């Protein structure tokens, strides 16, 4: 069997699918042997010789040279072997070429199916390994279908199926088949359906990675993200810090004329993102975490509990819709935060020390 196009296709397979040519050839040999045995019903050993230089594939049945034959289908006497070729010795194989015409269309189809299956298995194993290495990273994916609360996607360039469940979806986003978006790779797993990638659009890690992609100073370590919390679809708070006096940590995240943060917000479909400066002083950190509200005063009440006072017209801003702003600030800082207005303090007869 000689086919130059076949061997050229092997090179394409290795280059485009990144499947090792040697793996394919090994699989092809095994499948041809399996197909021939199934077709002929013979028990004799088979082997396949593939010569890439000559673009040649040959199928052989063989017998092992022995001094005493026990199984005539698998063995041949040394004296009989030397009648074929004088140099044969015990342990050698005597090969009998099997003509391609002896392999029927059914046998060839069987071999083809074995090859396809084994190549799919090899590809899935390779992609699974690659995706395991990408856990905690961002990947581009395309929505395949939406089934109830589950979104099925394909990780682009890998053809690996990804799953995004309800908890990993953003409540304000609508997912449509054919839509391309960035996802955060949470983990990989293998079940009865094969390898799967679990991805998310709702975790804070997605926002962190988006900023790393936009701000080289974060990726280089000059700007450090000290903390990040998120109410997916509504607001994210991110605290940043730098030890380099020549770098503005907040400016590095926002970018010139807001270019960097706008790219992140665009990918998040308009979700608000507060970038604040981290402080080792917990009260100062809390005051900044309540951004965009301005704080008049802040005092520590108990261990990890702070009382914050704001102007009356800033109370709703500090608390946020449904308590979102103060809740995220508390989660970011690790402190319980009690926000009160000036009038509430006055009614309670409490003194305000403005800072």
């Amino acid at each position: 069997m000689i086919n130059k196009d076949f061997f050229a296709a092997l090179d394409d397979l290795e280059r485009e699918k990144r499947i090792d040519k040697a793996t394919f050839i090994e699989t092809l040999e095994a499948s041809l042997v399996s197909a021939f045995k199934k077709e002929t019903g013979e028990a004799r050993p088979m082997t396949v010789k593939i010569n890439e230089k000559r673009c040649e594939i040959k199928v052989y049945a063989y017998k092992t040279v022995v001094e005493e034959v026990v199984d005539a289908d698998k063995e041949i006497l040394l004296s009989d072997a030397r009648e074929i070729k004088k140099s044969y010795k015990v342990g050698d194989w005597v090969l009998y070429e099997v003509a391609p015409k002896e392999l029927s269309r059914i046998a060839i189809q069987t071999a083809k199916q074995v090859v396809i299956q084994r190549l799919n298995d090899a590809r899935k194993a390779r992609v699974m390994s690659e995706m395991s290495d990408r856990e905690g990273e961002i990947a581009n994916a395309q929505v395949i279908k939406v089934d109830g609360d589950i979104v099925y996607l394909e990780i682009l360039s890998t053809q690996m199926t990804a799953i995004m469940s309800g908890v990993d979806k953003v409540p304000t986003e609508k997912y449509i088949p054919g839509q391309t978006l960035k996802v955060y790779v949470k983990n990989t797993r293998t079940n009865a359906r094969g390898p799967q990638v679990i991805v998310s659009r709702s975790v804070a890690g997605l926002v962190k990675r988006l900023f790393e992609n936009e701000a080289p100073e974060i990726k280089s370590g000059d700007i450090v993200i000290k903390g990040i919390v998120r109410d997916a679809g509504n607001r994210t708070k991110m605290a940043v810090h730098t030890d380099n006096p020549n770098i503005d940590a907040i400016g590095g995240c926002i970018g010139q004329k807001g270019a960097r943060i706008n790219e992140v917000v665009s990918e998040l479909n308009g979700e608000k993102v507060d970038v604040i400066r981290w402080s080792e002083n917990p009260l100062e950190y809390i005051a900044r975490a309540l951004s965009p509200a301005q704080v008049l005063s802040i005092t520590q009440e108990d261990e990890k509990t702070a009382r914050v006072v704001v102007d009356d017209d800033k109370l709703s801003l500090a608390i946020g819709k449904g308590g979102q702003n103060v809740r995220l600030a508390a989660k970011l800082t690790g402190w319980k935060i009690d926000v009160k207005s000036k009038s509430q303090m006055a009614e309670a007869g409490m003194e305000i020390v403005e800072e």
Side-chain angles (χ1 to χ4, degrees):
M1 287 185 282
I2 301 176
N3 191 328
K4 292 183 180 180
D5 292 339
F6 171 80
F7 285 93
L10 286 187
D11 294 326
D12 293 339
L13 188 72
E14 188 170 42
R15 182 174 59 255
E16 296 175 10
K17 301 296 184 181
R18 287 179 288 170
I19 294 175
D20 182 53
K21 191 192 306 184
T23 299
F24 181 86
I25 290 176
E26 181 182 342
T27 298
L28 179 62
E29 290 176 349
S31 64
L32 285 173
V33 168
S34 174
F36 185 84
K37 285 187 175 182
K38 185 175 180 179
E39 176 73 13
T40 63
E42 294 187 16
R44 57 177 171 163
M46 306 289 299
T47 187
V48 174
K49 301 290 184 181
I50 297 180
N51 189 324
E52 287 188 67
K53 291 183 178 179
R54 297 176 62 181
C55 297
E56 189 174 74
I57 302 173
K58 289 188 176 183
V59 182
Y60 295 93
Y62 68 87
K63 292 184 179 182
T64 304
V65 178
V66 296
E67 291 182 344
E68 184 178 349
V69 173
V70 176
D71 188 339
D73 285 332
K74 300 179 180 179
E75 299 169 336
I76 183 173
L77 279 175
L78 177 61
S79 57
D80 292 339
R82 284 182 172 171
E83 288 182 6
I84 300 171
K85 189 167 69 173
K86 292 182 179 180
S87 60
Y88 277 130
K89 58 184 181 295
V90 173
D92 287 346
W93 285 358
V94 177
L95 301 179
Y96 305 90
E97 185 174 356
V98 178
K101 63 182 179 181
E102 294 184 49
L103 285 171
S104 72
R105 182 175 298 178
I106 295 176
I108 292 173
Q109 186 64 27
T110 300
K112 179 181 178 181
Q113 290 172 353
V114 172
V115 169
I116 292 172
Q117 181 60 47
R118 293 198 183 183
L119 286 178
N120 283 338
D121 291 343
R123 181 188 62 79
K124 288 177 181 178
R126 175 185 59 76
V127 172
M128 192 69 170
S129 176
E130 288 181 3
M131 292 309 301
S132 294
D133 293 338
R134 292 182 64 182
E135 287 183 10
E137 301 295 332
I138 286 178
N140 291 316
Q142 186 175 61
V143 177
I144 301 173
K145 68 174 181 177
V146 179
D147 186 4
D149 204 35
I150 305 295
V151 179
Y152 293 90
L153 310 99
E154 180 183 296
I155 303 296
L156 298 181
S157 79
T158 68
Q159 297 181 328
M160 176 66 76
T161 299
I163 292 177
M164 186 162 62
S165 61
V167 69
D168 289 311
K169 295 193 299 181
V170 177
T172 56
E173 290 183 342
K174 184 176 182 180
Y175 305 103
I176 303 170
Q179 176 185 9
T180 301
L181 38 74
K182 287 181 171 61
V183 294
Y184 180 87
V185 181
K186 291 178 70 175
N187 57 65
T188 55
R189 69 186 184 191
T190 302
N191 59 19
R193 296 183 178 181
Q196 292 179 332
V197 183
I198 309 303
V199 299
S200 177
R201 284 277 297 173
S202 66
V203 294
L206 174 67
V207 185
K208 182 178 180 181
R209 293 302 185 196
L210 288 172
F211 270 105
E212 287 178 353
N213 289 343
E214 293 299 326
E217 299 89 341
I218 296 178
K219 188 162 285 187
S220 68
D222 289 317
I223 295 176
V224 179
I225 297 176
K226 286 287 193 177
I228 183 167
V229 293
R230 187 182 182 200
D231 180 1
N234 297 307
R235 186 181 291 274
T236 291
K237 287 184 180 290
M238 185 174 75
V240 295
H241 173 74
T242 181
D243 289 322
N244 189 333
N246 298 318
I247 293 178
D248 176 7
I250 294 179
C253 296
I254 293 176
Q256 189 174 12
K257 295 183 179 180
R260 292 176 177 178
I261 195 170
N262 286 342
E263 283 295 322
V264 174
V265 170
S266 176
E267 178 61 36
L268 299 177
N269 295 310
E271 181 177 316
K272 295 180 176 64
V273 179
D274 300 328
V275 181
I276 66 169
R277 201 180 310 277
W278 176 83
S279 174
E280 60 184 357
N281 181 324
L283 298 184
E284 185 176 12
Y285 188 23
I286 291 168
R288 293 173 179 174
L290 285 168
S291 173
Q294 293 292 318
V295 171
L296 294 178
S297 74
I298 179 169
T299 55
Q300 182 172 353
E301 296 287 287
D302 297 308
E303 184 180 0
K304 291 225 167 184
T305 300
R307 185 180 70 241
V308 174
V309 181
V310 297
D311 282 321
D312 287 15
D313 61 349
K314 298 293 188 236
L315 181 61
S316 60
L317 185 63
I319 294 175
K321 186 178 180 180
Q324 176 200 89
N325 195 58
V326 69
R327 184 172 62 251
L328 286 176
K331 189 176 179 181
L332 183 66
T333 61
W335 280 58
K336 182 179 178 181
I337 305 172
D338 180 22
V339 180
K340 294 189 178 297
S341 66
K342 288 178 68 174
S343 60
Q344 287 174 333
M345 292 290 288
E347 288 173 7
M350 301 174 72
E351 183 181 357
I352 301 174
V353 178
E354 295 196 9
E355 297 180 359

